[in-house]
Amino acid sequence: MNRANCLKKADECVNGKREQDYGSPESNFLKIADLWSAYYGAPFSANDVAMMMALLKIARISTGTATEDSFVDLAGYAACGCEIA
């Protein structure tokens, strides 16, 4: 997969069905941040969620067994974080 295809797929994910199913990334990530904050006892923001999810994808990619979807998801989380920030 080339970079244009990766970004196109990420765009389709974050601006397509996922947003229809889960709402805007900021709204969804705020809900996740609230749960993480309650669990961990420290505040998390919607942008923290985007960055932590990107780090999760980076960790998976670093195993050497990543699929193309991991890179697509990483691009999607980065784009969501950019918009939220």
Side-chain angles (χ1 to χ4, degrees), residues 21-45:
D21 290 344
Y22 304 119
S24 72
E26 185 171 20
S27 175
N28 187 255
F29 289 8
L30 278 172
K31 289 177 187 177
I32 295 168
D34 288 344
L35 290 169
W36 287 3
S37 297
Y39 178 82
Y40 194 66
F44 286 90
S45 69

Side-chain angles (χ1 to χ4, degrees), residues 3 7 9 12-14 17 23 27-29 32 38 40 45 47 50 53 55 58-59 73 75-76 81-82:
R3 61 182 174 252
L7 292 171
K9 285 187 177 206
E12 291 168 357
C13 287
V14 300
K17 185 156 175 48
S27 175
N28 187 255
F29 289 8
I32 295 168
Y40 194 66
S45 69
N47 196 52
M53 295 304 292
L55 289 171
I58 291 167
D73 290 346
C82 178

Side-chain angles (χ1 to χ4, degrees), residues 1-10 67-73:
M1 174 184 309
N2 65 35
R3 61 182 174 252
N5 288 340
C6 180
L7 292 171
K8 181 180 177 197
K9 285 187 177 206
T67 64
E68 290 179 345
D69 285 345
S70 293
F71 290 97
V72 170
D73 290 346

